[in-house]
Amino acid sequence: MADPGAREHAPQRAVAGRPARFDFTGRTALVTGAAGGIGGAIAAGLAASGATVWSLDRDDTVRAAADRIGGHTIVGDVRDPGLPEAALSRIGDVDLLVLAAGVQVRTTGSGITEDDWQRLADVNLSGPYRMIRAAVPHLRRRGGGSVLAVSSMSADRAVAGIVPYGATKAALSHLIRGLAVELGEHRIRLNGIAPGYVLTAMTGSLLADEERAARIRERIPLGRPADPEEMVGPSLFLLSDAAAYVTGQILAVDGGYALS
Ligand SMILES: NC(=O)c1ccc[n+]([C@@H]2O[C@H](COP(=O)([O-])OP(=O)(O)OC[C@H]3O[C@@H](n4cnc5c(N)ncnc54)[C@H](O)[C@@H]3O)[C@@H](O)[C@H]2O)c1
């Protein structure tokens, strides 16, 4: 049942003969990891499509990124259990939540240190989980809303050298699917994207190694890694009313890598 008090910007169904609008005017978005390549690109895409955007990151450069897109900033660490409530009490209600903050540790699965394991689990899994949990009452007050998590192709594929990272992303994807089942009745949709290789700080040193980069390119059907901007269209689609009947899906945005 729809929640009483749902506001005018509640998600809309498509109207017959007219495609649902790919437009975020009047919507408020919180984007974590917004100082980074993918989070920053999605935040900019949302702002350009009419949303009021709050950019969150632990990296102070998020202030400049938010200024460039005409939005607001929250500097904070998603490992802090108090951050979601503190952030949401500043923002008020949100309609859209994008979970892009993440870290990667390149190491063997059996050789990872306790500290690195804890950091991966805290940032990539507990951070998004706490943020969603805190946002649910806000999304319900808005009559529903949409969550997008940035998972990874390594969630479903065993990639040597990033197995613990992949395990946190597999758990994140599972969380998205499971919460989509539980929260559908409140008109809250949760989806994810699973990027392959994207040219950001996270992959900088890996893709700077020309030999490795060539091997990676060979395995990607589209023949190249992605620019962060190429994550924006699929993300905005999943967040928008154009995807009003899509929930619990993790969309591969990987140039076909998962098929190869
Ligand atoms: N680049 C890729 O090829 C690729 C592929 C698949 C998935 N991803 C995922 O995409 C997301 C974005 O990564 P990116 O490629 O843009 O890398 P990035 O390093 O450019 O961005 C990650 C951002 O997360 C922020 N962050 C990290 N720890 C944080 C914390 N504790 N609190 C708050 N912010 C924190 C960083 O400061 C950074 O701005 C990540 O979740 C990553 O796992 C990236």
Side-chain angles (χ1 to χ4, degrees):
M1 213 176 92
D3 297 284
R7 310 246 292 260
E8 63 185 293
H9 299 305
Q12 303 298 309
R13 287 178 176 219
V15 175
R18 183 156 55 85
R21 289 171 56 177
F22 202 92
D23 175 12
F24 297 93
T25 304
R27 307 272 169 94
T28 300
L30 170 59
V31 181
T32 75
I38 295 174
I42 295 173
L46 282 169
S49 304
T52 299
V53 178
W54 288 76
S55 293
L56 184 153
D57 207 288
R58 69 173 172 179
D59 185 333
D60 200 51
T61 61
V62 72
R63 293 185 198 284
D67 283 351
R68 275 197 298 277
I69 64 172
H72 311 278
T73 312
I74 295 171
V75 178
D77 191 318
V78 299
R79 288 173 295 183
D80 170 5
L83 177 71
E85 292 294 352
L88 288 161
S89 72
R90 270 187 68 195
I91 299 170
D93 289 342
V94 287
D95 306 280
L96 309 163
L97 181 58
V98 177
L99 305 161
V103 286
Q104 190 178 78
V105 176
R106 303 195 74 82
T107 173
T108 61
S110 55
I112 190 166
T113 64
E114 178 60 28
D115 281 357
D116 279 345
W117 170 254
Q118 203 55 60
R119 189 159 58 95
L120 281 176
D122 283 350
V123 178
N124 295 352
L125 181 58
S126 300
Y129 170 66
R130 291 195 194 104
M131 200 58 89
I132 295 169
R133 188 175 58 185
V136 165
H138 296 263
L139 296 167
R140 286 186 63 173
R141 265 200 297 279
R142 297 288 270 178
S146 188
V147 176
L148 180 92
V150 183
S151 185
S152 165
M153 57 94 176
S154 63
D156 290 323
R157 191 187 176 101
V159 183
I162 53 167
V163 171
Y165 168 82
T168 62
K169 292 296 188 178
L172 176 63
S173 294
H174 184 88
L175 194 64
I176 292 301
R177 294 187 193 103
L179 291 176
V181 171
E182 288 188 0
L183 294 170
E185 66 173 315
H186 304 300
R187 300 174 73 190
I188 298 172
R189 297 184 301 106
L190 297 98
N191 292 289
I193 59 168
Y197 289 94
V198 187
L199 294 162
T200 68
M202 189 173 280
T203 51
S205 59
L206 177 74
L207 296 173
D209 176 341
E210 194 34 57
E211 221 171 276
R212 289 176 88 174
R215 278 204 304 275
I216 288 168
R217 277 198 302 272
E218 239 166 61
R219 295 199 53 178
I220 304 172
L222 290 183
R224 60 177 178 81
D227 286 323
E229 286 67 30
E230 292 178 299
M231 302 298 116
V232 177
S235 300
L236 265 57
F237 162 67
L238 289 169
L239 286 164
S240 77
D241 293 345
Y245 205 59
V246 181
T247 195
Q249 300 303 306
I250 310 293
L251 178 62
V253 190
D254 63 355
Y257 187 89
L259 304 170
S260 68

